[in-house]
Amino acid sequence: PAFPLAGECQEKVEEGKAYSPDGVFAYLEMLEARAHKAAVKQEETEQQEEKLARLKARVEELRLQRDELRAKVDLQQKRQLGKEGGVSNPAQPSARAVLEWKIKSIKAMLEVFYLTGISGKLTKRGVCFCISTAYEGTYLDSYHLDLLTKPEVQIYRHSVPIFIPLQQIAKKYLQTDIRRFLSVLSDHLNAYAGRRYQADQLQEHFSDQIEGTLQRNSLCNLLVFNYKVPSKSKTFPFNVRLLYGDLCCSLPTEVVISCTPNAPASLAETAAAHSDLFRRVALHKVFRSFSSA
Amino acid sequence: MDETVAEYIRRTVLKIPRDEIKTMLQKWGFLSEAQLQTINFHQIKENISQEVVQLCEENSADIKQAAVLDIIYNHIYPNKRVWSVYQMNKTGEETEFFDLTDFKKKFKRRLRSALKNVTINFREYDDNAIWIRIAWGTPYTKPNQYKTSYVVYHSQTPYVFISASVLKSNMPLLCQALLVASNYCDIREMELRSHSLNSLKDIVFKRYSQNFQTYYPRPLQERNVAPESADIRIIQENKNEKERIQRLNREVFGDGPQPKLEFAQYKLETMFKSDPKMDVLDKREPFRCLVKFSSPHLLESLKSLAPAGMADAPLSPLLTCIPQKARNYFKIREKKGLFPGSFVSP
């Protein structure tokens, strides 16, 4: 607490008495200013002390690091010298280093779980799973499932898109084989993410080869559109209908390509070749190959 | 061009805010860029709409094209209507392929077979939303373009969003057509209504923020911490309580913005609990009472109740269950079990 010295105060008070009543406010103002100044000063000193403490802690930290490194160097040297089983004195890693290593390895483990696509965390009433999707190296959306485990395993809430047949999959596997449930659901979600990614890529990068609109649906399991292959001569557009019969698959199960009635017969061969291509290769890659051909 | 079409276009343009008219006409695409250049968009709306009608006359607009402008307007300003949510059920488990052309064909055919005098328009959007505009007539009169119903449907989902017109009698017809077209068996109205179409979608499609617990280090959201007062002599006495409330709030409401609802209505059919000696009612029958909460943004205001000190945390589950149960109209009957949710009737 910053108060002016007692003696000083009295003096000032007496001084104040000498002034007219109007001076009271000025006097109060002066007191306030003084208190403020003292407070600021004190804060400064406190900040200095804080800074000092921080620096001291930093010094400690650095000393510790230096010790660790020294120990490592010693160990290294000893290993070089005493290979024939001399009593080496392995430097005891400090408790702090052990803790840091543990944290790092756990974080890495969790990262691995996340990267595999299915990770979970125990909650008060059950488990919360996170299913992450990816397609050919690109990470896409994550979806969550909050499960209760008592009285039986049930889904409390989730963020799975409504058009994924979650209830169907749950009915089949949730009670009996939770691993299978998660695996099947993950397959559905990943395949959906993959199909959507391909369709988005197509619309984004190859819109010049598409005539009209790309007809799609929520699950991206039926795509219908007209396209033409880039070529110097006049090209006839193809109409393609891609049906993805297997919801766990990101490639179509059925491809129907048709040409306009006035197209030359030779195009039938091309259509057949394309049909095969669409069945085997990802959609945007097919179009990329058209551009580069 | 038909007089009624001209009038309809004129009235539709008048609804649009002046600054948006040009963009909307461009989206419509019925008038060419050259034609749009000739319109002075800085004059009063009355005159703008007259000029638009004039140009539409030149292009011989018909009612179908005028209807498209109406859909565009309603798509950009859906909050001017009240939307209800309907849920469909199906028994089969086959994979749905949802062919859009097929859907439209079946819908039109079913509706027209029951009522010839209807105007039906479709428009699809990037988020897989199909907008259907229906103007209803009667067996003896042409469709009334001012009595329209709007349907928004996302393929391969069991939910339909309907903004019905005044004519409720056409609902069964509309529902039937939807079932046939989308290949479902039955449809029922949910107890969920709001002006905000997107919020209704967020609720049933589970797109709102739910606070899931994960280990994956999400970037920590900057919590709204009021800047700590620079003067260290001021201490927060209730810090623990404040933090407890914040924590509970986040658990219940999540971190993100809440879906926008305007009402929550609770119809009580419970017994009046009074001192037996007071004997307010002679007969022991349920005391009927309707409690309605209204707000420009109900869920956000519920979320701020506890932090503002106006209610105890945790809030009643009757209030907090709204997005999860996907309903904002409740009927509460006499408690039979302990868990309050169990006696909320469908």
Side-chain angles (χ1 to χ4, degrees):
Chain A
F3 297 116
L5 297 168
E8 215 179 305
C9 187
Q10 259 186 330
E11 206 186 328
K12 285 293 177 202
V13 168
E14 244 131 87
E15 251 181 7
K17 276 196 183 154
Y19 291 107
S20 62
D22 291 349
V24 172
F25 282 113
Y27 173 53
L28 284 172
E29 261 180 340
M30 181 213 51
L31 277 180
E32 194 182 359
R34 188 182 295 185
H36 178 74
K37 233 195 298 181
V40 166
K41 206 177 194 184
Q42 193 190 332
E43 207 174 306
E44 267 175 30
T45 32
E46 275 178 15
Q47 275 179 350
Q48 290 276 43
E49 282 171 20
E50 229 176 284
K51 194 168 175 195
L52 189 62
R54 265 206 312 268
L55 289 170
K56 280 193 177 152
R58 181 82 179 122
V59 166
E60 274 308 311
E61 220 177 296
L62 289 170
R63 280 200 183 128
L64 204 67
Q65 243 184 314
R66 178 201 62 186
D67 289 343
E68 272 173 48
L69 289 169
R70 268 193 194 153
K72 268 195 195 157
V73 169
D74 283 353
L75 189 63
Q76 195 79 324
Q77 283 178 335
K78 286 211 172 81
R79 258 204 216 124
Q80 301 275 22
L81 296 173
K83 274 221 175 101
E84 50 276 15
V87 178
S88 56
N89 200 359
Q92 289 296 333
S94 67
R96 189 202 169 90
V98 170
L99 185 63
E100 279 179 2
W101 178 86
K102 275 188 182 166
I103 291 177
K104 210 165 116 187
S105 82
I106 289 182
K107 274 194 179 155
M109 183 80 84
L110 289 171
E111 181 90 11
V112 166
F113 279 133
Y114 173 72
L115 291 173
T116 58
I118 306 180
S119 55
K121 178 178 185 200
L122 290 175
T123 60
K124 275 185 283 203
R125 300 200 281 167
V127 195
C128 184
F129 286 103
C130 173
I131 298 181
S132 316
T133 58
Y135 182 73
E136 299 201 342
T138 312
Y139 281 95
L140 303 166
D141 295 325
S142 297
Y143 305 98
H144 295 89
L145 277 154
D146 216 341
L147 301 180
L148 302 174
T149 44
K150 287 189 265 286
E152 50 177 22
V153 185
Q154 47 183 301
I155 301 175
Y156 172 53
R157 50 179 194 169
H158 65 87
S159 65
V160 174
I162 192 70
F163 39 80
I164 301 280
L166 177 63
Q167 293 306 327
Q168 266 173 258
I169 304 172
K171 206 159 73 167
K172 268 199 198 144
Y173 305 112
L174 186 62
Q175 300 300 327
T176 49
D177 188 348
I178 199 169
R179 268 210 184 120
R180 185 112 181 254
F181 166 74
L182 288 171
S183 161
V184 170
L185 183 59
S186 171
D187 287 344
H188 272 86
L189 288 169
N190 272 286
Y192 156 68
R195 294 193 298 267
R196 192 182 69 184
Y197 180 76
Q198 292 174 63
D200 287 343
Q201 288 290 300
L202 181 63
Q203 280 183 299
E204 215 179 286
H205 299 294
F206 302 100
S207 51
D208 51 336
Q209 290 180 47
I210 302 193
E211 283 193 357
T213 51
L214 171 71
Q215 183 195 313
R216 49 199 277 186
N217 57 24
S218 300
L219 270 170
C220 288
N221 67 348
L222 174 63
L223 299 176
V224 182
F225 56 96
N226 296 321
Y227 71 97
K228 53 188 195 301
V229 182
S231 142
K232 290 170 290 221
S233 59
K234 174 180 177 175
T235 49
F236 292 88
F238 290 108
N239 174 279
V240 65
R241 199 181 156 84
L242 299 170
L243 219 94
Y244 298 77
D246 183 359
L247 285 184
C248 293
C249 190
S250 58
L251 285 173
T253 49
E254 195 183 306
V255 178
V256 177
I257 303 189
S258 53
C259 323
T260 52
N262 57 343
S266 59
L267 278 188
E269 251 182 59
T270 328
H274 284 188
S275 172
D276 182 60
L277 207 58
F278 281 123
R279 235 182 286 253
R280 288 184 298 110
V281 179
L283 193 54
H284 56 300
K285 291 194 175 155
V286 173
F287 277 84
R288 203 175 292 159
S289 71
F290 288 164
S291 312
S292 56
Chain B
M1 188 167 77
D2 201 330
E3 261 306 306
T4 50
V5 176
E7 179 61 14
Y8 186 70
I9 295 178
R10 191 186 72 84
R11 288 212 204 175
T12 309
V13 174
L14 280 177
K15 282 199 288 192
I16 309 172
R18 194 172 63 168
D19 301 327
E20 303 293 318
I21 297 181
K22 183 160 186 200
T23 5
M24 229 177 271
L25 291 176
Q26 280 169 332
K27 276 204 177 83
W28 188 30
F30 179 68
L31 299 174
S32 68
E33 223 9 83
Q35 284 175 307
L36 289 178
Q37 298 289 358
T38 64
I39 304 176
N40 172 12
F41 290 102
H42 296 293
Q43 53 188 329
I44 57 170
K45 282 209 285 192
E46 270 293 341
N47 297 350
I48 300 180
S49 61
Q50 292 290 3
E51 288 192 27
V52 172
V53 169
Q54 191 63 31
L55 290 171
C56 291
E57 178 86 52
E58 285 173 22
N59 291 13
S60 318
D62 66 16
I63 194 56
K64 282 234 148 209
Q65 279 132 352
V68 172
L69 184 61
D70 188 40
I71 296 189
I72 294 174
Y73 171 77
N74 278 285
H75 177 254
I76 297 181
Y77 298 102
N79 299 353
K80 298 224 183 281
R81 302 179 81 104
V82 176
W83 298 88
S84 306
V85 190
Y86 286 71
Q87 187 176 20
M88 299 191 287
N89 268 325
K90 70 156 85 176
T91 47
E93 290 199 346
E94 339 77 49
T95 314
E96 275 300 315
F97 285 108
F98 196 80
D99 187 333
L100 182 65
T101 340
D102 206 34
F103 173 83
K104 295 201 281 200
K105 204 163 58 178
K106 282 191 185 150
F107 182 84
K108 276 198 285 216
R109 192 166 53 195
R110 191 66 173 89
L111 204 56
R112 288 230 166 89
S113 70
L115 180 62
K116 284 206 176 32
N117 289 325
V118 279
T119 317
I120 306 174
N121 285 78
F122 296 90
R123 196 166 168 91
E124 301 85 53
Y125 288 91
D126 274 338
D127 56 349
N128 294 308
I130 304 163
W131 278 64
I132 314 176
R133 175 190 180 276
I134 305 129
W136 303 96
T138 69
Y140 313 106
T141 60
K142 277 200 326 187
N144 182 343
Q145 300 302 327
Y146 301 93
K147 288 204 163 28
T148 50
S149 298
Y150 271 89
V151 175
V152 178
Y153 179 59
H154 285 249
S155 53
Q156 294 157 322
T157 65
Y159 298 104
V160 190
F161 306 91
I162 303 183
S163 172
S165 64
V166 190
L167 300 166
K168 287 282 156 79
S169 55
N170 289 316
M171 280 311 288
L173 209 60
L174 179 55
C175 291
Q176 275 228 326
L178 283 168
L179 287 175
V180 165
S182 60
N183 208 9
Y184 277 82
C185 304
D186 60 72
I187 183 170
R188 69 172 183 101
E189 187 175 1
M190 289 173 73
E191 299 291 338
L192 185 62
R193 269 159 235 129
S194 174
H195 279 276
S196 170
L197 175 62
N198 283 331
S199 293
L200 291 175
K201 286 191 196 183
D202 285 344
I203 291 176
V204 294
F205 294 157
K206 309 235 178 270
R207 303 190 304 206
Y208 61 97
S209 82
Q210 305 177 71
N211 223 13
F212 290 106
Q213 302 182 47
T214 62
Y215 281 120
Y216 187 65
R218 284 171 302 166
L220 279 174
Q221 250 114 349
E222 282 300 319
R223 277 180 254 152
N224 281 344
V225 179
E228 292 281 340
S229 121
D231 196 334
I232 50 168
R233 290 175 295 178
I234 296 179
I235 307 168
Q236 291 271 15
E237 285 299 332
N238 292 352
K239 197 153 105 165
N240 283 343
E241 180 61 11
K242 273 198 158 90
E243 281 176 4
R244 183 188 77 96
I245 291 176
Q246 288 286 2
R247 192 175 34 92
L248 283 173
N249 241 28
R250 285 179 85 187
E251 267 173 33
V252 169
F253 291 100
D255 285 324
Q258 302 295 309
K260 194 162 186 225
L261 297 172
E262 299 90 40
F263 305 105
Q265 188 172 294
Y266 299 84
K267 199 165 175 184
L268 302 177
E269 288 171 6
T270 46
M271 307 297 264
F272 187 73
K273 287 182 174 53
S274 71
D275 188 343
K277 283 184 276 193
M278 275 176 67
D279 218 6
V280 176
L281 295 172
D282 316 337
K283 304 186 276 219
R284 291 277 294 164
E285 63 173 46
F287 190 78
R288 289 167 213 281
C289 170
L290 189 75
V291 178
K292 187 169 180 179
F293 293 87
S294 43
S295 161
H297 199 323
L298 183 70
L299 293 176
E300 278 294 340
S301 51
L302 289 177
K303 183 175 173 182
S304 51
L305 276 180
M310 287 193 245
D312 291 330
L315 288 176
S316 161
L318 282 172
L319 292 170
T320 56
C321 70
I322 292 172
Q324 208 207 318
K325 285 213 151 75
R327 64 188 301 167
N328 57 349
Y329 288 78
F330 296 84
K331 259 206 198 94
I332 305 179
R333 300 215 180 90
E334 203 52 46
K335 225 192 290 198
K336 288 204 179 69
L338 284 170
F339 188 57
S342 65
F343 64 103
V344 174
S345 78

